[in-house]
Amino acid sequence: MKHIAGTTGQQADQCTEQLRTYLESKDPQAFTEDDNLWSMVFDRLVGKEF
C-alpha cells in the first residue's frame, strides 16, 4: 500500500477502498454485515453515513 499523505481526498478514498478490498480478501467474514466493526470503520473513512 502506498502512503496517502499529500494526496487529494479522492485519491485517499481510492487507497482506502483498495485496502478494504485487500483486507476483505484475507478475512471476508469480518465484512459480511454492514454493522460489523470493520465495515463501519471503512464506511466512516470514505464518508458514508450510518
Side-chain angles (χ1 to χ4, degrees):
M1 292 272 121
K2 71 179 188 178
H3 196 280
I4 63 172
T7 62
T8 67
Q10 183 179 12
Q11 290 168 323
D13 286 351
Q14 289 171 345
C15 289
T16 301
E17 286 298 327
Q18 289 173 350
L19 177 59
R20 179 188 177 123
T21 300
Y22 171 78
L23 292 173
E24 195 170 1
S25 73
K26 299 298 180 191
D27 186 8
Q29 189 170 5
F31 293 87
T32 56
E33 300 292 330
D34 289 339
D35 61 349
N36 284 350
L37 175 65
W38 286 117
S39 293
M40 294 184 334
V41 167
F42 279 94
D43 286 348
R44 185 67 172 244
L45 285 172
V46 295
K48 292 182 182 176
E49 295 296 324
F50 299 105

